[in-house]
Amino acid sequence: MSELLLWVLLLSAVASFVQRVSGFGFGIFIMMFLPYIMPSYNEAVALSGLLSGTTALLIVACNFKYICWARIPVVFLFNALVSFFVISYMASLSSAFMLRCLGVALVLVAIYFLLFDGKAGKSFVSVWAQCVIGALSGVMGAMFGMPGPPVVLYGVSAIPDKRAYMATMQAFWLLFNCFYLLCRSNGGYYTENTPLYWVAGLFGVVSGVFLGAKCYRKLGNAAFKRIVYSVMLLSGIIALLK
């Protein structure tokens, strides 16, 4: 148990650092490893959501005034509608099947960001595009604990200001994970050990957010994000081969 708690702490620290520097990526990073050390896949997804929400809460608290609230409702609504049904269905799926699906998701997301580096056109800002983005985000958030990639495409198109982008993305992650928490509360995702895992991860989250904030204005994002995406791609391939 002590070794597992240490791993949760370390992974949370790195994942929260990634999210504080780039504005997203907590679930993407931690879900490369968490399913392989937690007792079950569903527990890994649930813990990822709890810790991702905690990370977003800390960042939102420091950047609340920069949030673009008008950019949130449509995407959040469709995320909530789709994720509710996906979470209800997902509890019946086997961990092995979900790990294969996670591998596919990691590979596709990594390839996209390696090739295009998150660039998107103005078409992502339309209302219909927001509906689709919210739905895709709901599927990825509910199944894999990583609702971010589709929303990032929307964010980089709709929110040009750096601080507003960071604050609004964290507001998204916070709202998403609060909703996921409610949906998963009665589905067997949380166990008697979940609070202990969360406390261990909390120490990592606080340290990761603190260090990430220090590096936010100094670190060049391009090379750093490419390393993360390359590791993500490798992890997805490994998951598919298992």
Side-chain angles (χ1 to χ4, degrees):
M1 174 64 77
S2 59
E3 183 178 352
L4 175 56
L5 294 177
L6 179 60
W7 274 113
V8 170
L9 188 155
L10 293 175
L11 291 174
S12 299
V14 178
S16 58
F17 177 86
V18 170
Q19 181 150 317
R20 184 61 185 89
V21 170
S22 63
F24 72 105
F26 187 100
I28 292 174
F29 177 84
I30 204 167
M31 286 300 288
M32 292 191 294
F33 308 99
L34 211 55
Y36 303 103
I37 64 174
M38 295 293 291
S40 71
Y41 182 88
N42 283 350
E43 286 182 76
V45 172
L47 182 62
S48 172
L50 283 174
L51 293 171
S52 177
T54 304
T55 301
L57 177 61
L58 293 177
I59 302 173
V60 164
C62 298
N63 298 274
F64 187 82
K65 65 181 180 180
Y66 298 103
I67 297 174
C68 297
W69 293 106
R71 297 298 185 182
I72 293 177
V74 175
V75 175
F76 175 69
L77 174 62
F78 277 81
N79 175 286
L81 289 173
V82 172
S83 61
F84 174 79
F85 291 104
V86 174
I87 289 173
S88 300
Y89 172 70
M90 198 181 88
S92 64
L93 299 177
S94 69
S95 294
F97 175 76
M98 292 307 302
L99 284 172
R100 292 292 177 88
C101 291
L102 174 63
V104 173
L106 287 172
V107 169
L108 293 177
V109 171
I111 290 174
Y112 175 83
F113 280 109
L114 282 169
L115 293 178
F116 301 104
D117 196 25
K119 294 183 176 68
K122 292 184 179 180
S123 60
F124 283 93
V125 184
S126 70
V127 174
W128 285 110
Q130 292 179 54
C131 297
V132 174
I133 286 167
L136 289 174
S137 174
V139 172
M140 294 190 67
M143 293 184 69
F144 314 123
M146 52 175 76
V151 181
V152 168
L153 299 182
Y154 169 62
V156 296
S157 299
I159 310 169
D161 180 74
K162 180 181 178 181
R163 295 196 69 171
Y165 164 80
M166 174 66 71
T168 308
M169 289 299 100
Q170 304 317 304
F172 269 122
W173 313 149
L174 179 58
L175 290 171
F176 289 166
N177 284 296
C178 285
F179 182 77
Y180 299 159
L181 172 62
L182 294 175
C183 291
R184 292 172 178 145
S185 59
N186 295 319
Y189 291 86
Y190 303 105
T191 68
E192 64 276 5
N193 290 323
T194 300
L196 185 60
Y197 299 143
W198 179 80
V199 170
L202 179 61
F203 285 98
V205 164
V206 172
S207 59
V209 169
F210 176 78
L211 292 174
K214 294 289 185 182
C215 297
Y216 178 58
R217 295 180 180 178
K218 301 178 182 179
L219 187 66
N221 284 346
F224 177 74
K225 287 193 289 186
R226 286 187 175 273
I227 292 173
V228 173
Y229 302 147
S230 298
V231 175
M232 186 197 316
L233 178 61
L234 177 62
S235 176
I237 294 172
I238 292 172
L240 286 173
L241 296 176
K242 279 186 175 291

